[in-house]
Structures are given as structure tokens and as C-alpha cells.
């Protein structure tokens, strides 16, 4: 983990600029691995209001392997819970970007894989977070006419169509 941050932390309101790089990040919970040796790069500007405990995201981008995500919104610390309103979307509309999240694909000749197709990815997290409730969440993923082919293989995987909308209302994770 390489992290660099700057800001006037002695002020009650200030901007905190950060740069983060992680060469290999693995995120697991139980038997499920959500990220496996993913390469992370992030440049973020966080507006900090220490008086009201509000952290507002400004000019933020995070790259997970080849997928660049832009996000904005805020996170607020309350007395007994947290208020969250964060939106994100993909920066570029390339099928290859989402394909980079599959560990086996990303590690083996990723730069030489032929791809085509478009990608639209966006989502949000909005509401209260506490021991008893989680904020509402949504994720939209659309891949149109996706195709990929390894250079060493004679044929391509073609006609990949994905239209996914995942939502979870405010409340229990159940």
C-alpha cells in the first residue's frame, strides 16, 4: 500500500487530497472472494467538515485493474448511525474494463486480448447505516455486443449481452 495525503488538518473545514496505490488487493468474506489480487489506483479529493462530521467526495476516481470509476457524494457521522449518499459510474464504456475484474483473464496476456462491446456501469448507496439497518443500494450493469479473444485461440467468445439491475432497499441485509 502506497498512500499520500495532504491538507490542513488543523482547520475545521479543509480539502484532503489523496493518492493511493495497491499492487495486489484481495477482499474475501467467508468463502466468497470479491477481489483477487486486484491492482488499485485512486486519486481523491475529500472535503472535510470536522464541525459537522461530514466528508464530501469531490473529483474522485478509483481504478480497479482496468475499470475506472468516478464517484461523488458524502458520508456523515451521526450520534448513533451514519448517513451515506454516494453515487458512482464507469469512466469509460469499454467491455474490456469489466473483463479485467475476472482474475484469470486479467493476469494472462490482458493487454493482448482482443475485445469489443460497450459497457455502462453505475450505482449508488444512500440512506442510514447502523448496527440494525443498511442504506439502500443499487447497481446497474449493461454490456452490449461484448466479445473477447485470446491471441493464442482460434475463435472468440461473442455476442455477450448483459442487462443487470440489482437493488436493495433501506433496511436489513436479509
Amino acid at each position: 500500500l502506497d498512500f499520500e495525503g495532504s491538507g490542513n488538518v488543523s482547520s475545521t473545514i479543509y480539502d484532503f487530497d489523496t493518492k493511493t496505490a495497491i499492487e495486489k488487493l484481495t477482499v474475501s468474506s467467508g468463502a466468497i472472494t470479491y477481489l483477487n489480487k486486484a491492482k488499485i489506483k485512486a486519486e481523491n479529493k475529500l472535503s472535510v467538515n470536522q464541525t459537522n462530521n461530514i466528508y464530501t467526495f469531490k473529483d474522485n476516481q478509483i481504478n480497479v485493474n482496468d475499470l475506472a470509476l468516478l464517484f461523488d457524494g458524502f458520508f456523515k457521522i451521526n450520534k448513533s448511525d451514519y448517513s451515506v449518499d454516494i453515487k458512482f459510474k464507469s469512466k469509460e464504456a469499454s467491455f474490456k474494463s469489466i473483463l479485467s475484474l475476472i482474475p484469470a483473464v486479467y493476469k494472462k496476456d490482458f493487454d493482448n486480448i482482443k475485445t469489443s462491446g460497450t459497457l455502462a456501469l453505475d450505482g449508488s448507496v444512500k440512506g442510514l447505516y447502523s448496527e440494525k439497518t443498511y442504506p439502500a443500494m443499487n447497481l446497474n450493469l449493461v454490456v452490449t455486443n461484448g466479445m473477447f479473444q485470446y491471441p493464442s485461440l482460434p475463435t472468440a467468445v461473442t455476442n455477450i449481452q448483459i442487462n443487470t439491475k440489482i437493488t436493495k432497499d433501506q433496511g436489513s441485509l436479509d
Side-chain angles (χ1 to χ4, degrees):
L1 168 68
D2 290 322
F3 176 81
E4 184 180 309
S6 65
N8 185 357
V9 296
S10 63
S11 296
T12 57
I13 297 175
Y14 62 93
D15 284 343
F16 187 58
D17 295 316
T18 67
K19 291 183 182 181
T20 307
I22 301 172
E23 192 62 34
K24 294 178 184 175
L25 176 67
T26 299
V27 177
S28 299
S29 179
I32 300 172
T33 300
Y34 295 99
L35 291 175
N36 187 17
K37 298 179 183 176
K39 185 175 185 176
I40 308 294
K41 181 181 175 189
E43 292 190 23
N44 304 303
K45 180 177 280 192
L46 188 65
S47 176
V48 178
N49 181 327
Q50 294 190 84
T51 304
N52 297 313
N53 290 323
I54 299 174
Y55 304 87
T56 304
F57 300 102
K58 303 173 4 179
D59 301 324
N60 293 275
Q61 178 173 324
I62 185 168
N63 293 50
V64 181
N65 291 340
D66 197 50
L67 178 64
L69 295 172
L70 304 173
F71 63 99
D72 61 28
F74 72 89
F75 182 85
K76 182 177 187 301
I77 301 172
N78 303 315
K79 286 186 179 187
S80 61
D81 58 19
Y82 305 94
S83 299
V84 180
D85 188 355
I86 300 172
K87 296 179 180 122
F88 63 90
K89 65 179 180 179
S90 57
K91 182 177 179 180
E92 297 172 3
S94 164
F95 174 63
K96 189 172 187 177
S97 297
I98 198 77
L99 197 62
S100 78
L101 297 181
I102 301 170
V105 173
Y106 188 64
K107 300 297 180 206
K108 183 178 164 72
D109 300 324
F110 183 73
D111 290 336
N112 297 322
I113 295 173
K114 295 178 187 176
T115 65
S116 64
T118 60
L119 164 75
L121 173 66
D122 65 77
S124 66
V125 178
K126 184 176 183 175
L128 296 177
Y129 171 74
S130 71
E131 288 182 22
K132 297 180 181 180
T133 188
Y134 290 83
M137 300 176 217
N138 79 66
L139 174 71
N140 302 301
L141 170 65
V142 177
V143 172
T144 306
N145 297 322
M147 180 282 297
F148 71 95
Q149 180 178 13
Y150 282 103
S152 60
L153 297 178
T155 60
V157 176
T158 61
N159 197 27
I160 300 169
Q161 312 292 333
I162 301 171
N163 189 349
T164 303
K165 182 174 185 171
I166 300 170
T167 60
K168 184 227 145 299
D169 294 332
Q170 173 80 43
S172 167
L173 282 182
D174 289 340

